[in-house]
Amino acid sequence: MTTGRRPGRRPGSADTRGEILAAARRVFAEKGFDKATVRGIAREARVDPALVHHYFETKDGMFAAAMRLPLSPEVIVPAVLDGPRELIGERLVRLILTVTATPETREPMIALIRSAMTHEQAAAMFREFVSNALLLRVSQLLDVPHLRVEAAFAQMFGVLMARYVLRLEPMASADPEELVELLAPTVQRYFTG
């Protein structure tokens, strides 16, 4: 009689890769890139670390796969730009607060922010995505100086840090519509002067 595990697929869900990605998002969001480990992610996903390596090879590869943001630039840019120019600030603030309202969409973004603070490769990836795929594109489409668009981004980046990373009160528990009303005029100023 042999003891031990049977070879083959583990019992339970057939979407092991998806479960590992979900666990990775939670761990990266909680710990950032540097402090997250393959073993810790495997433990969170309830799989053997070798299975994590099988699907993703490295922690960097897993990070890249896990950080698929909930919205692509092809969705974000039109959502912000479609409509009256004098309401861009309101649309941008509302979009960001809506996207970050649920853990499923917030965790990947917060994980990326935390990781960018502690890991140069993550910072470079975040910087490249934000600068080239979003900010430069918006700047060109609106014919607004890149610095102004970057300042609007910095404003909202600070809001996300205060609300979801530092959890400053009352910002962390404020109603999203209250924040839209408060922040939209400031963000709008960056786009229209």
Side-chain angles (χ1 to χ4, degrees):
M1 180 186 260
T2 33
T3 58
R5 286 195 246 169
R6 290 179 30 220
R9 195 183 326 184
R10 71 187 179 109
S13 172
D15 186 21
T16 302
R17 185 179 190 279
E19 290 173 2
I20 293 170
L21 280 175
R25 286 185 189 108
R26 288 190 301 272
V27 171
F28 285 132
E30 181 184 319
K31 298 183 177 199
F33 183 87
D34 281 351
K35 292 182 180 170
T37 65
V38 170
R39 287 187 182 281
I41 291 166
R43 189 171 33 256
E44 178 76 15
R46 296 188 182 115
V47 299
D48 188 280
L51 196 54
V52 176
H53 285 293
H54 167 75
Y55 283 112
F56 302 102
E57 293 185 21
T58 65
K59 183 170 88 167
D60 289 356
M62 185 174 18
F63 179 79
M67 293 305 102
R68 297 207 191 286
L69 297 177
L71 294 177
S72 69
E74 293 76 28
V75 173
I76 295 171
V77 173
V80 171
L81 300 185
D82 288 349
R85 190 175 179 118
E86 63 273 6
L87 297 177
I88 289 173
E90 181 179 327
R91 286 192 303 273
L92 177 62
V93 173
R94 184 169 281 113
L95 175 69
I96 290 172
L97 292 175
T98 300
V99 167
T100 58
T102 62
E104 299 80 33
T105 54
R106 179 177 56 245
E107 285 175 357
M109 295 176 74
I110 299 305
L112 188 55
I113 289 169
R114 284 182 187 271
S115 296
M117 303 276 206
T118 61
H119 188 264
E120 183 50 41
Q121 184 178 1
M125 185 174 82
F126 185 65
R127 191 170 41 246
E128 183 176 309
F129 171 79
V130 168
S131 187
N132 297 336
L134 288 174
L135 304 183
L136 187 59
R137 195 165 158 200
V138 169
S139 172
Q140 291 168 341
L141 289 169
L142 288 175
D143 195 26
V144 172
H146 190 223
L147 179 60
R148 286 181 159 276
V149 176
E150 208 167 84
F153 169 78
Q155 178 84 34
M156 291 312 300
F157 183 84
V159 168
L160 293 179
M161 289 290 293
R163 189 165 168 88
Y164 298 115
V165 177
L166 299 174
R167 295 182 181 139
L168 295 177
E169 288 297 345
M171 178 75 71
S173 60
D175 180 81
E177 284 305 310
E178 182 182 1
L179 292 176
V180 169
E181 188 177 320
L182 176 68
L183 298 166
T186 300
V187 172
Q188 181 68 35
R189 187 179 67 78
Y190 295 120
F191 291 102
T192 57

